[in-house]
Amino acid sequence: MNTADLGLPVDVPSTALFTDQYELTMLQAALKAGTGERRSVFEVFTRRLPEGRRYGVVAGTGRVLDAVENFRFDAGVLGFLRERGIVDEPTLDWLSGYRFSGDIWGYPEGEVYFPGSPILRVEGSFAQCVLLETVILSILNHDSAIAAAASRMSSAAGGRPLIEMGARRTHELAAVAASRAAYVGGFATTSDLAAGFRYGIPTVGTSAHAFTLVHDSERDAFRAQVDSLGRGTTLLVDTYDVTEAVRMAVEVAGPELGAVRIDSGDLLLVAHRVRQQLDDLGATNTKIVVTSDLDEYAIASLAAAPVDAYGVGTQLVTGSGHPTASMVYKLVARAHSADPKAPLEPVAKKSLGAKSSVGGRKWAARRSDAYGVAEAEVIGTGPVPAELVDDQLQVELVKGGQVIAREPLDAVRDRHAAARARLPLSATQLSRGEAVIPTEYV
């Protein structure tokens, strides 16, 4: 069963109003001026990575494809626009038949990117493409930021599984998207059932301190959980006294106890003590799960601790200090007329500050050294050099308005792991630095 086709409450009837009013302002004026039908090329890119990040992670592409497909102006939406006087009647008539019929190319989801990388390229009429700016950026900026944080955390975890558990720390719909992005970045499971239902992500859950506190004793709480869920359950052991709780947990569940969770205190010290105590009690296979506001730095600091899994919430769903990827959506080429055969000409904003861009429809390739390790992100607007033809990064996602590149989320997750593995080793260091490979324009 494809859960993505079930239509959950987290979906919306239309994505058409996930936009800024200025896009409709531009649309109305362009249609009246006769420039709305000019063939145009927009690109999504970022001018820089967040401070200290060595690479970015493309995430949200699958959600972008859904959003583009669902970008429809139904009667209710058109009525709202008419009532508010946002656009005139000719524009409303045009919007009533809106269907994106252009092409979209982009980095495959899960791939890494760098400053200037043409992460997504949207081609079609100016009128069709300009409307998609906000919804595309809102998805890619959020999901890529979460996936980048998740990637750093999964790298710091060194193969130990990570549990996404940040639903209570963000908007209820953002939580579902964050779970998906975290899975792309290397997390193994989520506590968010909507994400599990919508995207097929494995779900897990333990218990909270409230469960212990509602019982007359900690023993009663452990007994109730084990009786209901079996000896393989995970017991929370830091409500009162950790040492006594671990002893009691093994006494109640036996050495077959699945895991204990530690949610407070000096996690490095407590984890060592708990591991020794579990081993002494014969529970040598009982796992230790730690939580407590972890980020990639805290996870890395626990590398030498006998920890089997990490639960991460707040820092993950807020991008670990960088909640956006700062991507932009810019017109880079357009035709001089509405003639479909009119040639495209590069265009670019001129700026004295840091907001300049490079005009022209771009290709991208990643050059590797003799050992297969990435050494440069190469971007150009002319012919692709023969030696880079097989290293091109962009793939066709939408052709003539039809989505042609949907794929399972596990494939995206595997792609990211492979892409990260091809980067220089310094990419996964948590020390601050510039992009791990340079961007070269040819």
Side-chain angles (χ1 to χ4, degrees):
M1 178 180 65
N2 184 358
T3 56
D5 295 333
L6 293 177
L8 301 186
V10 295
D11 291 333
V12 292
S14 168
T15 54
L17 292 184
F18 289 172
T19 189
D20 290 303
Q21 184 168 328
Y22 87 146
E23 286 157 3
L24 293 179
T25 302
M26 290 187 285
L27 171 68
Q28 178 175 311
L31 290 175
K32 186 173 183 178
T35 53
E37 295 307 317
R38 289 185 175 183
R39 192 159 56 104
S40 301
V41 180
F42 286 80
E43 288 178 348
V44 175
F45 63 93
T46 184
R47 296 184 175 94
R48 67 192 66 83
L49 297 176
E51 183 181 358
R53 299 289 167 89
R54 314 302 299 276
Y55 62 92
V57 180
V58 179
T61 308
R63 297 206 308 119
V64 166
L65 298 180
D66 291 341
V68 171
E69 216 174 38
N70 208 30
F71 205 89
R72 304 284 188 269
F73 292 82
D74 58 26
V77 170
L78 292 170
F80 165 78
L81 297 176
R82 178 179 290 110
E83 179 186 343
R84 296 291 181 93
I86 292 173
V87 292
D88 59 18
E89 285 298 324
T91 305
L92 287 171
D93 290 341
W94 188 91
L95 290 172
S96 67
Y98 181 90
R99 300 290 187 274
F100 180 73
S101 60
D103 302 328
I104 299 179
W105 291 70
Y107 281 35
E109 189 168 13
E111 184 57 82
V112 297
Y113 69 86
F114 299 92
S117 296
I119 296 162
L120 201 73
R121 188 174 76 227
V122 182
E123 302 187 23
S125 71
F126 176 83
Q128 284 198 357
C129 296
V130 74
L131 293 182
L132 299 176
E133 174 184 5
T134 299
V135 69
I136 286 175
L137 287 180
S138 65
I139 293 171
L140 292 181
N141 269 317
H142 174 269
D143 289 23
S144 296
I146 304 304
S151 179
R152 284 163 60 86
M153 292 174 185
S154 66
S155 177
R160 296 170 179 172
L162 291 156
I163 307 163
E164 185 281 311
M165 47 193 300
R168 292 168 293 170
R169 297 293 186 263
T170 188
H171 185 279
E172 66 272 19
L173 301 186
V176 181
S179 293
R180 183 186 184 279
Y183 192 68
V184 170
F187 274 58
T189 54
T190 179
S191 66
D192 191 290
L193 292 179
F197 186 49
R198 179 69 177 82
Y199 296 115
I201 302 170
T203 60
V204 297
T206 58
S207 63
H209 295 290
F211 182 76
T212 300
L213 295 171
V214 78
H215 288 83
D216 294 335
S217 69
E218 196 167 37
R219 179 183 294 276
D220 289 344
F222 289 170
R223 172 56 63 193
Q225 187 170 333
V226 171
D227 286 348
S228 176
L229 300 171
R231 298 176 187 274
T233 192
T234 299
L235 298 178
L236 180 62
V237 295
D238 72 329
T239 305
Y240 303 117
D241 178 84
V242 173
T243 301
E244 177 60 19
V246 170
R247 184 196 65 76
M248 195 181 306
V250 176
E251 184 177 301
V252 169
E256 299 84 9
L257 174 62
V260 295
R261 179 163 76 97
I262 307 167
D263 188 50
S264 59
D266 183 336
L267 296 179
L268 179 63
L269 176 63
V270 175
H272 277 287
R273 288 177 175 173
V274 168
R275 180 72 271 159
Q276 183 63 56
Q277 185 181 8
L278 287 170
D279 291 346
D280 290 345
L281 293 170
T284 56
N285 293 321
T286 299
K287 308 295 185 184
I288 296 176
V289 179
V290 297
T291 51
S292 188
D293 207 24
L294 300 176
D295 62 9
E296 59 266 49
Y297 300 101
I299 291 169
S301 73
L302 293 169
V307 171
D308 298 288
Y310 305 91
V312 189
T314 303
Q315 294 303 317
L316 174 69
V317 299
T318 57
S320 195
H322 297 291
T324 178
S326 299
M327 295 177 186
V328 294
Y329 183 91
K330 297 298 181 183
L331 181 68
V332 297
R334 53 89 169 170
H336 264 297
S337 73
D339 183 348
K341 297 181 180 179
L344 290 169
E345 297 186 0
V347 295
K349 173 183 177 179
K350 292 184 178 180
S351 175
L352 297 177
K355 288 191 172 184
S356 61
S357 56
V358 178
R361 177 205 274 146
K362 300 171 193 66
W363 54 263
R366 188 163 300 140
R367 190 175 68 237
S368 300
D369 63 17
Y371 299 97
V373 178
E375 63 178 11
E377 192 88 338
V378 186
I379 299 171
T381 57
V384 181
E387 66 272 17
L388 293 176
V389 168
D390 294 335
D391 298 316
Q392 293 183 82
L393 293 162
Q394 294 154 312
V395 298
E396 195 167 17
L397 302 169
V398 175
K399 184 175 183 178
Q402 299 298 311
V403 175
I404 61 173
R406 282 198 174 89
E407 56 187 344
L409 196 56
D410 281 330
V412 174
R413 188 171 185 267
D414 292 343
R415 177 183 295 119
H416 174 63
R420 188 176 65 187
R422 290 192 294 269
L423 296 178
L425 288 176
S426 56
T428 57
Q429 293 177 345
L430 297 182
S431 56
R432 296 189 178 277
E434 300 300 319
V436 72
I437 61 172
T439 300
E440 299 178 0
Y441 290 92
V442 297

